[in-house]
Each structure stands twice: as structure tokens, then as C-alpha cells.
């Protein structure tokens, strides 16, 4: 499964139940491009267990501001709509799987 591209209109509904991992990124961001294959892989590995989404900060500045995203890539983890953790910068997959697995 590919990642889900989230917008402000459907964001709250998408992350309101269960575990979600949301990548805040931009098309011009080199580190975001480096992280993209990791996010795509996790979307497949956690299909049916966690929502893996992406928010383009250029298209959705309100969401970026709401979550206080100052640097990208920033990956925010939510459980039932509430932030439980975040990772900033390019990191290996196990940095993300540790949070996902601990909260499933």
C-alpha cells in the first residue's frame, strides 16, 4: 500500500482512531527525498496495523503550523489523534518501527 496523502480537510478523521505515522515533507527537500523510500516501505509493512501518511508542507501550511513543524522531514506519531512521539530528520527504519511496534 502506498502512503496516504493527507490534507487539512481529511486529516483529523484519518488519524482519529488507531496508530498513525505522518511524514511532513516538501518536494524540494533533499533529506525528504532520502526518507521517502523508508516511509513507503513502512506503509507496506504496517498496512492494516497503522496509517502511514504524508503531508506536503507547501500545500498544507496550516497542518505544519498546527504541529509546530520547523524542520523537514518531521515524522509525527499519533494514537487516537493525539501526538505520542516525533522524529526530526533522516533516520533508519528501526527508529520508526520502534515507535510503531511499541504502540500497536
Amino acid at each position: 500500500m502506498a502512503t496516504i496523502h493527507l490534507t487539512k480537510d481529511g486529516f483529523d478523521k484519518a488519524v482519529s482512531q488507531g496508530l498513525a505515522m505522518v511524514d511532513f515533507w516538501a518536494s524540494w527537500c533533499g533529506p525528504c527525498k532520502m526518507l521517502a523510500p523508508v516511509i513507503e516501505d513502512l506503509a507496506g509493512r504496517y498496512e492494516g496495523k497503522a496509517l502511514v501518511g504524508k503531508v506536503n508542507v507547501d500545500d498544507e501550511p496550516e497542518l505544519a503550523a498546527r504541529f509546530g513543524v520547523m524542520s523537514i522531514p518531521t515524522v509525527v506519531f499519533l494514537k487516537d489523534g493525539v501526538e505520542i512521539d516525533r522524529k526530526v530528520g533522516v533516520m533508519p527504519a528501526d527508529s520508526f518501527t520502534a515507535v510503531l511496534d511499541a504502540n500497536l
Side-chain angles (χ1 to χ4, degrees):
M1 175 182 179
T3 55
I4 298 167
H5 292 273
L6 299 167
T7 64
K8 68 177 191 258
D9 295 333
F11 186 88
D12 289 326
K13 183 176 182 185
V15 303
S16 67
Q17 293 184 355
L19 185 59
M21 181 178 99
V22 181
D23 175 26
F24 287 84
W25 69 287
S27 60
W28 49 264
C29 167
C32 299
K33 291 177 185 176
M34 292 171 53
L35 186 60
V38 173
I39 300 297
E40 289 292 330
D41 177 59
L42 292 174
R45 287 167 52 186
Y46 286 86
E47 184 173 1
K49 299 181 212 168
L51 177 140
V52 177
K54 294 176 80 78
V55 172
N56 184 322
V57 297
D58 289 334
D59 296 340
E60 301 295 333
E62 300 91 350
L63 280 174
R66 176 174 149 193
F67 283 92
V69 173
M70 303 299 278
S71 300
I72 52 174
T74 292
V75 177
V76 176
F77 297 87
L78 302 112
K79 190 158 194 173
D80 299 329
V82 177
E83 183 176 341
I84 55 170
D85 201 349
R86 73 171 50 202
K87 306 287 182 194
V88 179
V90 177
M91 297 185 180
D94 60 359
S95 297
F96 305 109
T97 59
V99 176
L100 291 167
D101 292 343
N103 289 283
L104 283 176

